[in-house]
Amino acid sequence: MTRLFNDPDDFAAEMIEGFAAASSRWVRPVVGGVVRATRGAEPTVAVVIGGGSGHYPAFGGLVGPGLAHGAAMGNLFASPSAHQVHSVATAAHEGRGVLLSFGNYAGDVLHFGQAQERMREAGIDCRTVVVTDDVWSAPKDELDRRRGIAGDLVVFKVAGAAAEAGLDLDDVERLARHANARTRSFGVAFGGCTLPGADEPLFDVPEGRMAVGLGIHGEPGIDEVDVPTAAGLAEMFLDKLLDELPDGVTLPGARVVPILNGLGSVKYEELFVVYRSVARLLADAGATVVSPEVGEFCTSFDMAGASLTLVWLDDELERFWLAPCDTPAFRRGTVGERRAVTDDELAALDETREIGAAGDASRRAAAVISRVVTGVASMLDAHADELGRLDRVAGDGDHGIGMQRGSRAAAEAAAAAADAGAGARTTLQHAGDAWADKGGGTSGAIWGEMLIALGGALGDDDAVTGSQVVAGVTGMKDAVMAFGKARPGDKTMVDAIVPFADDLAERVAAGDALAVAWAHAAEVATTAAERTSEMTAKLGRARSHGDKSLGTPDPGAVSFALVTHTVLDVLKEDN
Ligand code: ADP
Ligand code: MG
C-alpha cells in the first residue's frame, strides 16, 4: 500500500521535486528528469538512462560521477516521452556524444528511439544499448526480446565507468553491450504493488504463493508456486541462472557479481538470509564471488518480491564494475575533483513549438478540434477503469490511467493553443506533444504521433475538407505502423486503426458525406476491436504472456474505437 501522497496525479512530479531537493549534491533538475550537478576536468561521453518512476533508485538515484550523467524520469511505471529524454540528453551532453540506456519495454524503446533520432538530427552522435537481463521474459534464443530488470544497474555502471575513464562513444557502447550480454536476472513476487491513490494492487498473489518470473511493473508472472524457504528460493534462483551461463563463461573458475535485489517491501534481513545460501551455492558451483550487492537497486513500488542478478565478469567488466562512483543511491571509493555545472552548460531547452500565423478558417477548425479533444478526455475519464482492467489481463494495467492523463493534457494544450490563435495543425501538434509527455507508455507515444500526423494533413491555413480528414486519418495509420512496427494481427491498436482508416477512405471516395462515412467507419472500428479478443499478443508488454490475453480484446484497440465514436458525438452536438 502506498500511503503518503497529496494528489495522486501529482505524485511523480512531486517525488522528482523532493528527490532533486534532497540530492542537490549530485543532481540538478531539468525538463524531463535530472542531470549531474557537477562536471569533471575533461568532457566525457554522456550516459543517459531512464524509465518510468516507481523503481527507485532506478533511475534518478543512479546519476552522479562514475555512473549516469542524466536520468529521464517518466510518470509512474510510464516511459518518459521522447521530448523528456531529448531534453535530459541535451542537458547532459558534454560534447562527446550520448549513450542512451534503459530496460527493454515497448514504451521506452519507442520514446528513447525517437529521442535518439532528434539528437542525431541536431548533429549529436547518439547510440542506444537496451538492457535485457530478465531470463523469464523470453527464451534463450530470443535474448534481445527479454525485458530489463535489476541488470540495469550493471549496464549503467559499466557504461558510466567507461565514460569516466575517458573512452570514446564506440567503446562506451561496446562495453555497455558486453555488460548486458554477461548479465542475467530472475525475479519473484509474493504480493502486488499499489500505485498512489489506487484502491487495489496492480495484481494479486494468493497468500502463501509466489509468482515466478515476474516483471517490475506487476506484469503477471510466468508460473506460480508455494512460497519456498529462503534457502529454497536461493536454490531456485541458481538452478535457473546457472543454466543460463552467457557464451564464453565456464564453471568452475568464473568470477561473478551477485546482486540480490529487494523489489520494495522485502526486508534487508530477509535478503541476507537468502544471500547466505546464494553465496554457498555459488561457491559450490566453483564460482568466485566479487563485490556482491544486497539491497534495493530496482524496485517496483511496494511490491513484495526479490530478484537475483548474476554478472559474469572478465577483466574489463571487473575493472569498470569496481571503479569509483558517487550517486545518491550507489557509491564506491573516491571520485576525483569535481566542479559545479554552470547554468550555461545546462542551457535550458526551449522546445515549445511556436504558434505561427494561421488562417481564420483554420482557427475555427482549431476551436472545433479543441472541443473534440476535450470530449475525448472526458470520455476516457469515464472509461479509465475499464481500460485499466483490460490491460491488467496480460499487460501492466496502466492503459486507462495513461489514456486519461494523456488526453487530459492534450485537451488543455489544445485549448491553450486554440485560444492563442493557432491553426488546426499547430493545435494538434501541441496536443500531441502533451499527450506523449503526460500519457507515457506505448499508447502515449503513439497517440502523440497520431495527433501530429493528423495535424500535418490539415495545415494551418484553410478550412478542413473531407479529403484532408481522410488523408489525415491515413497519415495516423501510417504513423502508428512506422513508429510501433506492429502489423494487423499482432493484437494492438493497429487492428482497429487499419480497418477504420481504410473504411473511411473507401466511403468518402465512393461519395459519402464525411459524417456518414465516419459513423460507418466507427462501427467497423468497434467490431474490429472486439475481434482482437480472438488474437494472441505478439508485441508490447503483453507479449511475454502469450495466450493469457486470449478472450480479452486489446485495450489500445478498444480505446481507439471509443475515441472514434466520441469524435462523432462531439461533431454532431456541434452542428
Ligand atoms: P504500455 O504497453 O506501455 O503499458 P499502454 O498500456 O498505455 O502502454 O498501451 C497498451 C496498448 O498500446 C496496447 O493495448 C496496444 O494497443 C498498444 N500498443 C502496444 N505496442 C504497440 C505497437 N508496437 N504498435 C501499436 N500499438 C501498440
Ligand atoms: Mg499498459
Side-chain angles (χ1 to χ4, degrees), residues 168-186:
D168 64 15
L169 186 54
D170 283 341
D171 279 329
V172 173
E173 180 191 4
R174 175 182 62 79
L175 280 154
R177 258 181 230 299
H178 185 48
N180 183 53
R182 290 272 187 141
T183 302
R184 300 279 189 276
S185 303
F186 175 168

Side-chain angles (χ1 to χ4, degrees), residues 5-221:
F5 48 86
N6 301 309
D7 181 340
D9 276 350
D10 298 333
F11 188 90
E14 292 184 355
M15 177 279 290
I16 292 168
E17 230 180 288
F19 161 70
S23 314
S24 59
R25 199 180 114 198
W26 297 276
V27 301
R28 293 253 316 241
V30 294
V31 170
V34 295
V35 295
R36 287 187 190 174
T38 63
R39 289 214 172 162
E42 298 295 331
T44 68
V45 167
V47 176
V48 173
I49 63 174
S53 292
H55 304 297
Y56 194 85
F59 295 87
L62 302 176
V63 174
L67 229 157
H69 292 69
M73 300 168 77
N75 215 319
L76 302 181
F77 287 0
S79 163
S81 69
H83 170 235
Q84 290 172 315
V85 176
H86 179 237
S87 158
V88 171
T90 305
H93 185 227
E94 297 186 4
R96 295 191 56 195
V98 173
L99 180 77
L100 301 176
S101 191
F102 49 91
N104 190 23
Y105 296 93
D108 296 285
V109 171
L110 295 179
H111 287 118
F112 278 83
Q114 233 185 341
Q116 172 171 281
E117 292 288 299
R118 292 191 196 174
M119 297 297 288
R120 288 179 176 174
E121 276 163 22
I124 294 173
D125 196 355
C126 184
R127 320 272 179 89
T128 293
V129 174
V130 179
V131 184
T132 57
D133 56 314
D134 181 3
V135 297
W136 280 107
S137 52
K140 272 185 207 171
D141 55 356
E142 294 181 49
L143 290 182
D144 58 354
R145 294 183 70 176
R146 289 181 169 178
R147 54 191 181 205
I149 51 176
D152 281 351
L153 170 68
V154 181
V155 177
F156 303 162
K157 171 72 178 74
V158 167
E164 200 67 31
L167 300 192
D168 64 15
L169 186 54
D170 283 341
D171 279 329
V172 173
E173 180 191 4
R174 175 182 62 79
L175 280 154
R177 258 181 230 299
H178 185 48
N180 183 53
R182 290 272 187 141
T183 302
R184 300 279 189 276
S185 303
F186 175 168
V188 297
F190 318 104
C193 51
T194 311
L195 296 183
D199 304 328
E200 40 179 330
L202 279 178
F203 65 97
D204 279 313
V205 183
E207 191 60 36
R209 302 282 285 171
M210 177 174 89
V212 177
L214 198 110
I216 54 168
H217 303 93
E219 301 96 325

